[in-house]
């Protein structure tokens, strides 16, 4: 029998709703999701890590400070936050490429596929994007449809719209 991976769960208020921050014993971010999407977060954790043991525990203050700075308007404050994900090598490649999309900019799924050198892998890129366990920090919200429309987002399209407007310096109610 496999020992569950010990992880720590913290909550943090934000303008887009209460967020869950899941960290490991080294303080690395393993998941970030929204309170109303807890079942999705639990599924992604199980898919990526198998059995996990979530215990209450404070996320590192530096992580919380950088997220607070991001929501206060310093949208580059989240760059460089240490994360640790499982997933397949392809998924991790897509998630790393997501982190190269600058705040305030968007990229299509096709553009993201081309960026990783697999222009014909648009659907696979979309699936990897949807399996991203770390919202906001690994900015899957910056990926849009080929025609410029907002497409699916694990935290809901209204949050995606708000995050993109926030990063562009606009202020929208949620």
């Amino acid at each position: 029998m496999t020992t569950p991976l010990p992880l720590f769960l913290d909550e943090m208020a934000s303008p887009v709703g209460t967020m869950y921050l899941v960290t490991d014993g080294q303080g690395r971010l393993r998941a970030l999701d929204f309170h109303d999407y807890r079942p999705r977060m639990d599924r992604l954790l199980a898919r990526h890590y198998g059995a996990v043991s979530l215990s209450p525990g404070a996320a590192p203050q530096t992580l919380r400070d950088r997220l607070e700075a991001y929501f206060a308007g310093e949208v580059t404050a989240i760059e460089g936050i240490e994360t640790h994900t499982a997933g397949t090598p392809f998924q991790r490649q897509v998630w790393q490429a997501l982190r190269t999309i600058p705040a305030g900019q968007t990229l299509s799924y096709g553009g993201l596929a081309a960026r990783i050198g697999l222009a014909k892998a648009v659907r696979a890129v979309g699936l990897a994007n949807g399996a991203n366990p770390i919202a906001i920090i690994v900015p899957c919200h910056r990926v849009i449809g080929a025609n410029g429309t907002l497409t699916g987002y694990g935290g809901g399209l209204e949050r995606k719209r708000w995050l993109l407007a926030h990063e562009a310096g606009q202020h929208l109610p949620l």
Side-chain angles (χ1 to χ4, degrees):
M1 186 167 161
T2 305
T3 303
L5 176 66
L7 298 174
F8 302 96
L9 179 67
D10 197 2
E11 292 186 18
M12 181 176 173
S14 82
V16 290
T18 301
M19 301 182 304
Y20 286 126
L21 308 175
V22 177
T23 55
D24 61 22
Q26 291 76 43
R28 298 173 299 188
L29 186 63
R30 296 284 189 127
L32 188 158
D33 217 325
F34 302 100
H35 189 266
D36 50 335
Y37 284 85
R38 173 70 187 262
R40 175 187 181 278
M41 183 186 80
D42 290 339
R43 278 192 311 275
L44 287 175
L45 287 171
R47 184 181 307 153
H48 292 299
Y49 302 112
V52 299
S53 170
L54 278 176
S55 302
Q61 190 60 47
T62 54
L63 170 60
R64 296 177 68 85
D65 290 346
R66 290 172 81 175
L67 282 163
E68 287 174 5
Y70 169 83
F71 285 116
E74 189 183 330
V75 296
T76 59
I78 59 173
E79 293 175 5
I81 288 177
E82 185 177 3
T83 63
H84 187 76
T85 55
T88 68
F90 177 77
Q91 287 173 326
R92 289 192 309 272
Q93 180 183 18
V94 170
W95 300 335
Q96 183 58 42
L98 288 170
R99 293 189 84 173
T100 68
I101 305 170
Q105 295 183 27
T106 58
L107 189 65
S108 70
Y109 290 97
L112 186 58
R115 185 172 284 190
I116 64 169
L118 298 167
K120 294 185 180 193
V122 176
R123 285 186 182 209
V125 164
L127 290 171
N129 197 50
N132 170 27
I134 303 177
I136 301 173
I137 310 301
V138 178
C140 52
H141 63 276
R142 296 179 189 156
V143 181
I144 59 172
N147 62 0
T149 60
L150 297 187
T151 55
Y153 179 60
L157 285 180
E158 287 307 310
R159 278 194 181 104
K160 181 173 187 162
R161 186 179 335 279
W162 190 95
L163 291 166
L164 291 172
H166 172 67
E167 292 180 355
Q170 303 165 359
H171 302 286
L172 293 178
L174 184 62

